Amino acid sequence: MNIRRVVTGHSDAGKSVVVSDGPPPRSVDFKHVPGMSASLMWETTTGQQVGASAVDGTPSSSWMPGVGGTNLMMLVFPPDSVMADPSFDAFAAGMEYVQNLPGLAEKFERDSPGMHTTDTVDYAVVLDGEICLELDDGQVVSLKKHDVVVQNGTRHAWRNRSDRPVTMLFVLTGAVRSR
C-alpha cells in the first residue's frame, strides 16, 4: 500500500512545522494473503500532549492501543475468494499475521476465521469498495464507500464478498471492558 503520512508539530519557537513527510514506518503487504495490506499510521498513549514537537509512537510493539490510547490504521482487505483458493495456506497466513500485526493478530479466533474481539471503541470508515460486517449472532451489515461503523468492543469479522479489494480506515481507542 502506497501511503503518504504528513506529521505536523511545533518548532522551538512554537510555530507550526512539518516534522515528517513520507511513508508510515509500520506498513506491510502480505505475501501469504495476496492483496492484503496494513499500515499503522499513528499511535497515541494516555495523556498524550500537544504543543511540542510530535513524537512518533508507531514504533511500539503492538497494533492495539492501551487504555486511553489510539491507533490510526489503514487496511486493504482482498476478496474472500483469496482465502477460499485451494492454494491458500492458512497456517502461513496466520503466522504472517502474528509476525506483522502483534497485539491484533492474537485477538483472532482459530475456530472462527476472521472473528475477533478487542477492548477498543473503533471508528471504521469504508474508503473504497464494499464489505460486510458480521456480528457474533450471525447478523450481517453490508457497507459501501463512506459508510462508518462505530464498533464498541463487540465480537465481529469483516467479510469482503466482492471481487475487488476494500480499503478501510480505522481509529481504535483503547477502553476498559466492563463485561
Side-chain angles (χ1 to χ4, degrees), residues 2 11 31 43 78-79 88 112 117-118 177:
N2 186 16
S11 69
K31 175 182 174 185
E43 292 180 296
F88 180 73
S112 300
T117 308
T118 59
R177 182 163 298 278

Side-chain angles (χ1 to χ4, degrees), residues 56-122:
D56 192 346
T58 53
S60 79
S61 62
S62 180
W63 281 61
M64 295 300 303
V67 174
T70 66
N71 280 16
L72 174 63
M73 301 185 300
M74 192 173 302
L75 283 90
V76 176
F77 295 95
D80 288 353
S81 60
V82 167
M83 280 72 76
D85 187 288
S87 65
F88 180 73
D89 184 342
F91 180 77
M95 294 306 295
E96 190 172 30
Y97 285 151
V98 169
Q99 178 184 359
N100 291 305
L101 303 175
L104 177 59
E106 297 83 0
K107 305 294 183 185
F108 285 86
E109 302 172 15
R110 291 179 189 225
D111 296 336
S112 300
M115 294 300 283
H116 61 287
T117 308
T118 59
D119 294 340
T120 57
V121 174
D122 306 343

Side-chain angles (χ1 to χ4, degrees), residues 73 121-125 148-152 169-173:
M73 301 185 300
V121 174
D122 306 343
Y123 309 122
V125 183
V148 176
V149 175
V150 178
Q151 184 74 20
N152 284 294
L169 181 72
F170 294 88
V171 176
L172 283 64
T173 304

Side-chain angles (χ1 to χ4, degrees), residues 25-72:
R26 299 217 25 214
S27 290
V28 60
D29 293 323
F30 288 79
K31 175 182 174 185
H32 296 288
V33 186
M36 173 94 179
S37 58
S39 194
L40 182 58
M41 308 293 291
W42 194 257
E43 292 180 296
T44 64
T45 58
T46 302
Q48 187 75 33
Q49 296 182 358
V50 295
S53 187
V55 175
D56 192 346
T58 53
S60 79
S61 62
S62 180
W63 281 61
M64 295 300 303
V67 174
T70 66
N71 280 16
L72 174 63

